[in-house]
Amino acid sequence: MKELSVYLDHAAATPMDGRVFAAMEPILKNDYGNPSSFHGKGKEVSDALQEARDSIADILGVRSDEIIFTSGGTESDNLAILGFARKNKDKGMHIISCKTEHEAVLESLEQLEKEGFEVTLLDPDREGRVSAEQVEKALREDTILVTLMYANNEIGTIHPIAEIGNAIEKVKKESNNNLPIFHTDACQAPGSLSLNVASLHVDMMTLNGSKMYGPKGVGLLYVRRGLKLQPLVFGGSQERSVRPGTENAAGIIGMAEALKID
């Protein structure tokens, strides 16, 4: 008799959907070219990557050139927080977040504190939420970034991201300022919550393939056009030189397929 297996850790990693694997298989087996190469094999993979990028952009309601592919949620969070803060520190040195964020966020903020930034970590309520009013009260003239998780990976709490984002936009209009920028770690959101960037009022958003029945080792960062990030790695022109390195083509195509299924 076959042993029954019960898996209850989907917030950490989901099994891969068969349709995702089917989409990845041609790349894994046959399309081995480097997408940065100019020959035919490279062009095949480059075209497939662009198709995946366009598909993801349509789902998020953004431009395809606003998508940066990474190795996963942790790297995307690091790139958003460290990359934006370091590139824009001449405009302010204050960042707002929450005490219940993922370590990828909290440890990035700890590193920035060592570099002279000031971080305000908001206290969540008894249900683990922070409100738009809390964020507004914490805003300062030198606040350049607000980063809050969309859905908590441990307790499932959903922050009112759209409400917070809308409040931040109003403050910026009233003060005639284009800061602070609003980033959300949305790794736990696919399949359950809206990912439409416009309705969420976010400027940067992190997603991870392994949380949406897609492959591990791949993620993305949506970055609103016009925002400047300092790279964390160097050595290539891929992903607009913000995240250089040969793209994980099979993983990216798998993530795109997983988002379509969700």
Side-chain angles (χ1 to χ4, degrees):
M1 182 177 179
K2 187 176 180 181
E3 183 178 342
L4 177 65
S5 175
V6 178
Y7 180 72
L8 301 174
D9 199 23
H10 287 69
T14 52
M16 187 186 295
D17 189 288
R19 291 165 289 183
V20 171
F21 180 78
M24 295 170 63
E25 194 170 14
I27 297 291
L28 292 169
K29 284 185 174 180
N30 304 314
D31 299 332
Y32 47 80
N34 187 319
S36 296
S37 298
F38 295 108
H39 50 62
K41 277 292 182 185
K43 181 71 163 52
E44 290 173 359
V45 182
S46 178
D47 289 346
L49 281 182
Q50 187 59 48
E51 184 177 342
R53 197 185 303 271
D54 291 342
S55 173
I56 292 171
D58 285 343
I59 291 168
L60 303 186
V62 302
R63 302 178 180 92
S64 60
D65 65 357
E66 295 175 309
I67 302 294
I68 297 174
F69 293 120
T70 69
S71 65
T74 294
E75 184 186 353
S76 291
D77 283 344
N78 275 248
L79 181 58
I81 295 166
L82 296 171
F84 184 80
R86 289 169 175 168
K87 186 70 174 179
N88 297 276
K89 62 183 180 180
D90 60 319
K91 301 171 185 174
M93 299 279 283
H94 180 237
I95 301 169
I96 298 170
S97 191
C98 178
K99 291 180 178 178
T100 54
E101 291 293 307
H102 190 278
E103 288 85 352
V105 169
L106 293 176
E107 293 186 18
S108 293
L109 295 174
E110 287 177 6
Q111 177 59 41
L112 287 175
E113 285 182 309
K114 295 176 184 177
E115 299 174 18
F117 287 84
E118 186 177 350
V119 176
T120 297
L121 293 179
L122 301 175
D123 288 306
D125 64 18
R126 61 184 296 172
E127 294 181 340
R129 293 184 181 87
V130 297
S131 67
E133 290 75 19
Q134 279 181 282
V135 174
E136 281 191 75
K137 288 179 181 178
L139 290 174
R140 305 184 336 198
E141 288 186 1
D142 62 338
T143 305
I144 61 169
L145 177 65
V146 177
T147 176
L148 293 168
M149 183 183 287
Y150 196 170
N152 191 279
N153 59 304
E154 295 183 352
I155 60 175
T157 294
I158 301 170
H159 286 315
I161 294 298
E163 184 180 339
I164 293 169
N166 189 50
I168 292 172
E169 285 186 354
K170 287 182 179 179
V171 170
K172 289 195 289 188
K173 287 180 181 178
E174 290 171 0
S175 61
N176 195 28
N177 195 352
N178 59 2
L179 293 172
I181 297 306
F182 188 25
H183 164 256
T184 186
D185 178 337
C187 289
Q188 303 293 339
S192 302
L193 300 168
S194 170
L195 296 177
N196 183 274
V197 163
S199 64
L200 292 174
H201 304 282
V202 296
D203 303 291
M204 295 190 287
M205 183 166 69
T206 291
L207 289 172
N208 185 352
S210 66
K211 314 289 187 181
M212 59 176 80
Y213 297 89
K216 297 176 179 66
V218 65
L220 67 85
L221 178 65
Y222 155 71
V223 181
R224 179 171 56 78
R225 182 181 285 185
L227 297 185
K228 303 297 183 183
L229 306 182
Q230 180 176 301
L232 303 183
V233 294
F234 302 87
S237 60
Q238 296 90 348
E239 302 306 302
R240 307 200 314 274
S241 298
V242 177
R243 201 284 185 181
T246 301
E247 294 94 342
N248 176 3
I252 290 166
I253 288 164
M255 181 169 59
E257 184 66 22
L259 274 171
K260 283 194 287 185
I261 294 170
D262 283 336

